[in-house]
Amino acid sequence: DVSHQIISSHFIGPQAENLSYFKRNIHTILEELRLARNNYFPEDGKFIDENVQQSPAFQKSMKKLSNAVQKTSNLLGRTSIPFWSPRYEAHMCTDMSMAALLGYFMTMLYNPNNVALEASPISTVAEIEVGEQLCELFGYNTDLNVDAPVGWGHVTCDGTVANLESIWVARNLKYYPLSLREAMEEGKPLEFLSGRFQVETCVGKRKLFSELTHWELLNLKAHEILDIPDRLYHEHGISNDYLSAVMEEFTVQSTGKEALERKYTDGKPAQYLLSNTRHYSWPKGAAVAGIGSDNVVGIPADHGARIDIDALEKRLEENLANEQPVLAVVAIMGSTEEGAVDSLSSVLALRKQFQARGLSFLVHADAAWGGYFCTMLPKDYRPGDVINLPTEMGTSDGFVPDATLRAETQEELYALRFADSITVDPHKSGYIPYPAGGLCYRDGRMRYLVTWTSPYLSRGSVTSIGTFGIEGSKPGAAAMSVWLSNKTVGLGPSGYGSLLAEVTWTCTRFSAEWAAMTDATSPFICVPFNELPSERDPDSTPEKVEAEKIRIRRDVLRKTNAEIVQEDQSRPEDQKTLKLLRQLGSDLNINAFSLNFRYSDGRLNDDVEEANYLMQRVIEALSVDSPEDDPTKIPLYLTSTEFSDKLYGECKKHFMKRLGLIDSTQDLMVLRNVVMSPFPTEGNFIHKLANILRDTIVRKRNELSDDFHSFLIQGTEQIYLIHLPMFHVANHRQQLVVMVDFDNVERKSKDKYIAMRNSNPSEPMILVTQHKCLLPDVAQKHVSFTGQIMTKESGIILKNIKVTVTDTVVSRPLNSRWRLKDYPTRFMPFYLYGNANEAHIDHVIVRAPNTQLSASNCKLDIDAKVPWEKPLVLLLEDVYEATMQPFPPNKEIGSKNGGIISESPHESTFRVSVWLDGNREHDNVEHACFRLGKKVGDGRLTLRETVYVDSEAMNFDPFKKVEKINEWRYEFDQIGRELEE
């Protein structure tokens, strides 16, 4: 397999197989460094002679440095994440190309700063060439002699800064016509143009610029705006220098956007529209640019995590109808969580349609992850072409086939040439070391919108590249690293395209593993986010899906690469395994999947919190999330993300349904593996990695099991037990208040309890079951069990109490499906029970995390008679729970008698209202605070000494790893101390 042999030459190798070649090149670089220094005015002579080098002080210093280098490099080797290994399948990190590493290293030795040509002559040229390389890759014109916009690009530190720069450009472009109108007002420098200068509106009509409506000014097409300076020069003789000087007073750069918006947008700020799956850099960039994160409008994602084009069109209709300007629509070309590619071609088509109706905006492509996948497209590719990659076989152990992208993905990547600007991250799918992002403009004149040295819009080349964009100083080594790797590996199908084609094949094999890992008899299920072909079929049935999984197990999981290709040669076209494989997984080499489990009786868990807990334990085992973790002992690396209702909506709901989970407002955890290494499929290594995941999937809390249960005791006239719940243990996930009686015949347990309670009114007393049991077994009416009473100060104070449940006051599950999305914002709810002499309250637990807040023997004064025989809810009207959550640890809470909700160290009084519970028979806790029944009355509640507060036990996770002392920091300190001696 010649292709794989060439790809193998690009990397040091998972086992440092090519390190000797790397060392030779390092030696060459250092030798050239020696020659460069020796050849620069050699007549100056040596400044560090042999006598200095042989001196004790010099030798001691060098020994310290050598020791530090050895120890630090050893520490890095032992504690760094093994991105170079095929076992690392987590984030967008992998082995870097040797060309990129060598390019960075050789340039770093000279430390050029690409902020100015005088500080970086050759690396500035490298950055200019990188910009041209990327523009050509995306299909932008780079020929100055062609009558078309000339593309331009440059290197940024990352995609976040590239996205921010694109926001800056979009803002300045949108407001440039407004600034120009200001400069044409009566008495202003360009007033003389008001009756002479014409432009073409968004809908194709020519009008005097001074007569454009505010809406027309806000919706001029990009090229019309960019042409203005040149047109003013050619048609009216206004030089760029004069225009620049005049406009400095009026541009949004100087005035800020608020004044312009007040006058021209009727208080409706311009907005960005993009999929909810967007990278966090978009709201962050909008905040920095002064646009405001609220004006980054999220568009729902479809079931494949791509932008919902119908929803986008609906939103654009709203903006048009309300005359609210749109700065840009962003198409995500490879979401960083799912590898999904938005339909850029559809976005571009929508822009054309809306421009005809008066709404214009830029189209930006966030191809931070997907940009380099354009190398997989042949130079002469056109939408509709069928790409058949060669699959010639070498030896079975070394053969890695190439895989094409889906036809739809190819067509969307081709459409990049029509986007106004593109973000790309060479340090992602370009296999370049950090920091190396990039931004390309279809029309290079856009860069003049974000420079402080020549803020005019005109054509022309410029040698210094550092005047454009956000960054000041930046390493020339990054530009050289990208340039050398692009040149060495090659930005075409036989270079990066071949590498990414092999990686795409590897990704499909991982997809097959996750899709067919489990069946109906497995103790857990593994469900890929991207549906199988049989699931996408309109006539899909569980039987068809299972049949497809059986086929994957038979024809893929147990086969080598060579066997798959060889067996395909005798199959009809529609039955080829290669065709099936290409339909698996995401658009661009990220596999997202989730896990769920079956109980011992075969039932599938339906609680998202339980599924999340299982996946959290898996990720803890297969990632470094604690200083005590040893990166060299983790056999497979995966990562995770979360799907929230806010960002994923119907997409999340559909995925949960496929997992067998009941819809919930709680986030869904999703596991991810980003595939970047071309090596794991050799020898079917992927199957070995998949088995590591299988062996890691264990459950520690999900099954209901017998356990000891603790109850807070309240009251003396009537005794109540308040179950002390735990969110993270299934058998303790219940809010329960029951009325009980203690035996008072032989042992006089009730009398003893009452006596101790009266003599210790402020000390909480806890009743604990003396034998392990299931909570439902001891919480039913007329059921009896044996318990013992404990206190924090004295331990066990009364044993062998026969406890009989006489009635249930409250019994509500605390599973995630019954919890609320938000904490109450205008009150704090409590269950109220007892009688006029002994009023008790227990905090209504609406969501996690939470706190046990209970009080007994409260004084209640309200303006109505309290129907104690009915289910009651009490609201603390002046205590706003949402503002207090999450509660601090117990040691920070303060006073034990209510200091958590009052500064008073003794009795605390609150304004309250009392209500009938909305529907205590319903498990949904919303009935106890937001869907209340009839109001009983208003009044005051005074807490006395018997208050119980615990913010830790309820949220304690008995299976979570406890972090230990950071040994890495200790080793750093040791090395540092040696250097300081």
Side-chain angles (χ1 to χ4, degrees):
D1 184 353
V2 175
S3 173
H4 187 63
Q5 292 164 2
I6 295 173
I7 289 168
S8 297
S9 74
H10 293 320
F11 301 98
I12 293 175
Q15 297 292 325
E17 297 90 340
N18 294 332
L19 188 61
S20 61
Y21 299 99
F22 189 72
K23 284 182 176 179
R24 288 182 209 169
N25 285 293
I26 291 292
H27 176 76
T28 298
I29 291 169
L30 295 178
E31 184 62 20
E32 291 298 330
L33 176 69
R34 182 188 68 79
L35 291 173
R37 297 193 176 204
N38 287 347
N39 292 335
Y40 184 70
F41 290 94
E43 61 269 24
D44 291 347
K46 293 185 177 181
F47 293 89
I48 306 172
D49 60 25
E50 190 173 339
N51 290 332
V52 171
Q53 291 175 332
Q54 295 303 319
S55 67
F58 184 98
Q59 289 295 317
K60 181 181 179 182
S61 179
M62 278 297 176
K63 184 175 181 181
K64 284 170 59 178
L65 176 61
S66 296
N67 288 339
V69 168
Q70 193 280 322
K71 290 179 180 179
T72 305
S73 59
N74 176 268
L75 179 63
L76 279 168
R78 289 186 289 107
T79 61
S80 292
I81 308 300
F83 297 136
W84 61 82
S85 172
R87 291 177 179 269
Y88 186 84
E89 297 291 338
H91 294 281
M92 293 169 174
C93 303
T94 188
D95 206 359
M96 294 157 287
S97 74
M98 283 199 288
L101 289 169
L102 294 167
Y104 200 100
F105 179 76
M106 72 171 72
T107 314
M108 174 189 69
L109 296 173
Y110 300 90
N111 198 30
N113 182 354
N114 274 26
V115 71
L117 180 68
E118 63 182 289
S120 56
I122 192 64
S123 58
T124 289
V125 173
E127 184 169 352
I128 292 171
E129 290 214 3
V130 166
E132 293 173 353
Q133 290 171 340
L134 295 174
C135 284
E136 290 174 5
L137 172 63
F138 300 139
Y140 286 172
N141 171 51
T142 57
D143 189 346
L144 292 171
N145 298 315
V146 174
D147 186 22
V150 178
W152 185 88
H154 70 126
V155 175
T156 64
C157 65
D158 62 4
T160 293
V161 168
N163 287 340
L164 174 57
E165 183 181 325
S166 74
I167 293 172
W168 191 13
V169 166
R171 186 200 70 176
N172 290 357
L173 185 75
K174 180 65 73 174
Y175 290 112
Y176 188 83
L178 309 184
S179 302
L180 187 62
R181 171 68 74 84
E182 290 293 295
M184 288 186 186
E185 295 288 342
E186 184 177 353
K188 301 300 182 182
L190 300 181
E191 178 188 359
F192 67 93
L193 289 172
S194 61
R196 301 160 57 187
F197 183 58
Q198 293 187 336
V199 293
E200 185 179 278
T201 67
C202 183
V203 297
K205 295 180 180 179
R206 293 202 67 78
K207 293 180 64 174
L208 281 173
F209 187 85
S210 59
E211 295 180 356
L212 294 177
T213 66
H214 292 177
W215 182 245
E216 288 172 331
L217 282 169
L218 286 161
N219 286 284
L220 293 177
K221 295 176 182 177
H223 70 83
E224 192 72 22
I225 301 171
L226 294 171
D227 284 345
I228 286 175
D230 280 346
R231 286 190 55 216
L232 290 178
Y233 174 73
H234 291 296
E235 298 174 16
H236 303 281
I238 299 174
S239 70
N240 283 319
D241 285 348
Y242 177 79
L243 181 63
S244 173
V246 166
M247 291 300 293
E248 187 171 348
E249 178 186 349
F250 301 98
T251 64
V252 67
Q253 301 273 74
S254 302
T255 67
K257 69 182 183 67
E258 286 74 17
L260 293 172
E261 284 186 341
R262 280 196 302 270
K263 183 173 180 179
Y264 291 96
T265 71
D266 195 26
K268 301 169 185 173
Q271 297 179 321
Y272 258 79
L273 309 183
L274 69 166
S275 172
N276 278 328
T277 62
R278 84 291 184 275
H279 189 260
Y280 67 84
S281 60
W282 286 104
K284 180 180 179 181
V288 173
I291 292 168
S293 60
D294 285 350
N295 291 310
V296 176
V297 179
I299 305 299
D302 64 17
H303 291 173
R306 306 175 191 91
I307 191 169
D308 186 324
I309 295 298
D310 291 337
L312 173 61
E313 183 175 10
K314 181 179 178 182
R315 178 68 200 205
L316 289 169
E317 290 284 4
E318 292 178 13
N319 281 67
L320 178 60
N322 297 328
E323 291 198 347
Q324 182 157 16
V326 176
L327 290 164
V329 174
V330 180
I332 302 170
M333 310 305 287
S335 58
T336 54
E337 305 297 335
E338 310 86 11
V341 173
D342 288 342
S343 181
L344 174 58
S345 59
S346 297
V347 173
L348 291 163
L350 280 178
R351 176 171 67 174
K352 205 72 173 175
Q353 295 164 23
F354 276 91
Q355 282 177 335
R357 298 169 58 196
L359 176 65
S360 186
F361 47 85
L362 292 179
V363 173
H364 178 82
D366 187 351
W369 171 240
Y372 269 73
F373 286 86
C374 288
T375 59
M376 296 175 69
L377 303 180
K379 293 292 184 183
D380 58 351
Y381 171 82
R382 293 294 181 272
D385 290 353
V386 177
I387 301 176
N388 293 311
L389 294 179
T391 54
E392 69 275 3
M393 288 185 288
T395 61
S396 60
D397 287 339
F399 173 55
V400 182
D402 294 340
T404 64
L405 299 172
R406 295 195 185 99
E408 300 87 351
T409 305
Q410 294 169 0
E411 293 179 6
E412 301 308 337
L413 291 177
Y414 178 83
L416 283 169
R417 66 196 59 222
F418 305 116
D420 296 299
S421 52
I422 302 169
T423 292
V424 60
D425 270 355
H427 64 214
K428 287 188 172 74
S429 51
Y431 298 78
I432 310 290
Y434 296 109
L439 180 65
C440 296
Y441 300 109
R442 186 169 185 261
D443 191 326
R445 294 176 296 175
M446 281 187 170
R447 71 187 185 272
Y448 295 112
L449 290 159
V450 287
T451 177
W452 290 99
T453 58
S454 298
Y456 53 82
L457 313 178
S458 66
R459 288 197 182 197
S461 61
V462 63
T463 306
S464 184
I465 204 168
T467 58
F468 306 108
I470 292 168
E471 295 159 284
S473 297
K474 58 182 183 178
M480 189 66 77
S481 175
V482 180
W483 177 84
L484 189 61
S485 192
N486 286 352
K487 282 291 187 182
T488 304
V489 179
L491 292 176
S494 62
Y496 273 106
S498 179
L499 167 60
L500 291 171
E502 286 199 8
V503 173
T504 300
W505 168 265
T506 302
C507 183
T508 61
R509 292 218 61 170
F510 267 114
S511 301
E513 291 286 350
W514 309 145
M517 175 174 281
T518 59
D519 57 25
T521 65
S522 303
F524 66 93
I525 63 171
C526 179
V527 180
F529 170 71
N530 297 101
E531 294 176 302
L532 293 170
S534 56
E535 291 180 280
R536 298 193 296 267
D537 189 332
D539 298 323
S540 176
T541 64
E543 291 75 22
K544 289 181 179 179
V545 174
E546 187 56 37
E548 191 164 53
K549 290 181 181 179
I550 292 172
R551 179 189 172 193
I552 292 171
R553 295 184 196 109
R554 182 190 66 227
D555 296 341
V556 179
L557 303 195
R558 299 183 178 93
K559 305 291 183 179
T560 65
N561 294 336
E563 288 172 339
I564 291 173
V565 174
Q566 188 172 27
E567 291 176 7
D568 254 9
Q569 294 176 358
S570 61
R571 293 189 178 112
E573 188 65 31
D574 62 341
Q575 296 180 25
K576 289 186 182 297
T577 302
L578 290 174
K579 182 177 180 179
L580 170 63
L581 281 170
R582 197 59 220 102
Q583 296 179 69
L584 303 181
S586 69
D587 299 330
L588 293 180
N589 295 9
I590 298 176
N591 290 313
F593 58 98
S594 287
L595 306 172
N596 197 5
F597 65 91
R598 290 189 174 90
Y599 291 103
S600 56
D601 60 5
R603 289 181 300 113
L604 194 62
N605 164 61
D606 62 6
D607 189 336
V608 63
E609 186 172 58
E610 296 292 351
N612 285 348
Y613 191 91
L614 170 64
M615 289 184 278
Q616 183 61 43
R617 297 290 83 81
V618 170
I619 284 298
E620 285 181 358
L622 299 181
S623 66
V624 170
D625 71 337
S626 166
E628 69 170 324
D629 291 336
D630 183 349
T632 67
K633 298 294 191 294
I634 296 174
L636 168 67
Y637 280 83
L638 296 176
T639 186
S640 64
T641 186
E642 290 183 338
F643 283 11
S644 66
D645 276 354
K646 180 179 179 181
L647 296 183
Y648 285 85
E650 284 297 319
C651 177
K652 173 204 166 194
K653 185 175 182 178
H654 180 69
F655 191 28
M656 287 181 63
K657 182 179 179 181
R658 293 172 56 218
L659 284 159
L661 301 173
I662 294 174
D663 188 29
S664 167
T665 59
Q666 186 166 338
D667 294 350
L668 170 67
M669 191 171 182
V670 178
L671 306 185
R672 297 166 59 240
N673 85 284
V674 179
V675 185
M676 296 189 72
S677 173
F679 300 113
T681 58
E682 293 193 70
N684 205 6
F685 189 64
I686 283 182
H687 194 58
K688 179 179 180 179
L689 298 181
N691 284 335
I692 292 173
L693 174 63
R694 182 194 299 274
D695 295 341
T696 305
I697 299 173
V698 295
R699 290 186 289 112
K700 295 184 178 179
R701 72 158 187 168
N702 310 95
E703 195 81 60
L704 288 170
S705 59
D706 292 347
D707 203 354
F708 296 106
H709 291 274
S710 299
F711 301 86
L712 176 68
I713 311 173
Q714 290 180 330
T716 55
E717 294 183 13
Q718 169 62 60
I719 302 173
Y720 294 87
L721 296 184
I722 294 85
H723 176 242
L724 301 180
M726 297 174 70
F727 286 117
H728 298 291
V729 183
N731 196 18
H732 294 258
R733 202 177 297 119
Q734 185 87 5
Q735 183 160 23
L736 178 71
V737 179
V738 292
M739 301 167 62
V740 300
D741 199 5
F742 294 167
D743 71 271
N744 209 33
V745 180
E746 296 181 7
R747 299 185 57 81
K748 302 292 183 179
S749 297
K750 185 173 182 178
D751 291 343
K752 292 177 181 178
Y753 157 71
I754 292 173
M756 289 187 291
R757 164 55 68 208
N758 290 334
S759 63
N760 300 277
S762 64
E763 186 174 10
M765 294 186 178
I766 307 297
L767 184 137
V768 182
T769 58
Q770 282 188 208
H771 306 285
K772 288 186 176 182
C773 58
L774 292 174
L775 186 61
D777 292 344
V778 299
Q780 299 179 39
K781 192 172 182 179
H782 306 309
V783 168
S784 297
F785 62 93
T786 303
Q788 56 191 15
I789 297 178
M790 306 174 64
T791 69
K792 183 178 180 181
E793 302 298 328
S794 304
I796 299 173
I797 58 176
L798 193 58
K799 291 183 178 181
N800 302 316
I801 307 167
K802 181 182 179 183
V803 182
T804 302
V805 177
T806 59
D807 206 353
T808 300
V809 178
V810 175
S811 180
R812 280 204 169 111
L814 296 179
N815 302 69
S816 63
R817 62 181 291 196
W818 303 122
R819 301 202 294 264
L820 303 184
K821 183 178 181 181
D822 300 303
Y823 298 103
T825 58
R826 306 301 300 173
F827 53 79
M828 179 178 281
F830 288 79
Y831 294 115
L832 174 65
Y833 45 94
N835 55 50
N837 296 324
E838 292 186 345
H840 313 299
I841 59 173
D842 187 43
H843 179 220
V844 179
I845 301 168
V846 301
R847 61 164 299 169
N850 221 300
T851 296
Q852 188 73 43
L853 296 172
S854 306
S856 58
N857 297 334
C858 305
K859 180 182 179 182
L860 179 65
D861 294 313
I862 68 169
D863 56 8
K865 183 179 180 180
V866 179
W868 292 102
E869 72 281 2
K870 294 184 178 181
L872 301 171
V873 172
L874 178 143
L875 305 183
L876 298 187
E877 297 286 359
D878 295 327
V879 179
Y880 306 145
E881 181 171 346
T883 66
M884 305 172 71
Q885 295 281 7
F887 285 93
N890 288 343
K891 64 181 181 180
E892 298 177 19
I893 286 177
S895 168
K896 64 183 179 181
N897 66 338
I900 190 168
I901 47 180
S902 172
E903 294 182 358
S904 171
H906 300 293
E907 290 190 351
S908 303
T909 301
F910 303 92
R911 187 171 64 88
V912 300
S913 60
V914 176
W915 304 71
L916 296 180
D917 198 343
N919 182 2
R920 195 162 286 184
E921 299 303 316
H922 196 285
D923 287 334
N924 194 332
V925 75
E926 188 177 63
H927 291 280
C929 51
F930 292 112
R931 296 169 66 181
L932 295 167
K934 182 179 178 181
K935 187 174 185 178
V936 175
D938 298 297
R940 313 291 290 183
L941 177 82
T942 301
L943 301 182
R944 292 168 175 162
E945 292 184 336
T946 321
V947 173
Y948 182 80
V949 179
D950 188 342
S951 67
E952 297 176 356
M954 184 183 300
N955 308 302
F956 175 67
D957 185 347
F959 307 115
K960 185 175 179 62
K961 291 192 298 185
V962 178
E963 293 187 3
K964 299 178 182 178
I965 296 174
N966 191 340
E967 293 294 333
W968 305 339
R969 184 64 180 267
Y970 173 77
E971 291 193 50
F972 259 124
D973 290 343
Q974 289 291 98
I975 296 170
R977 277 194 286 272
E978 289 183 18
L979 287 173
E980 292 167 1
E981 291 176 356

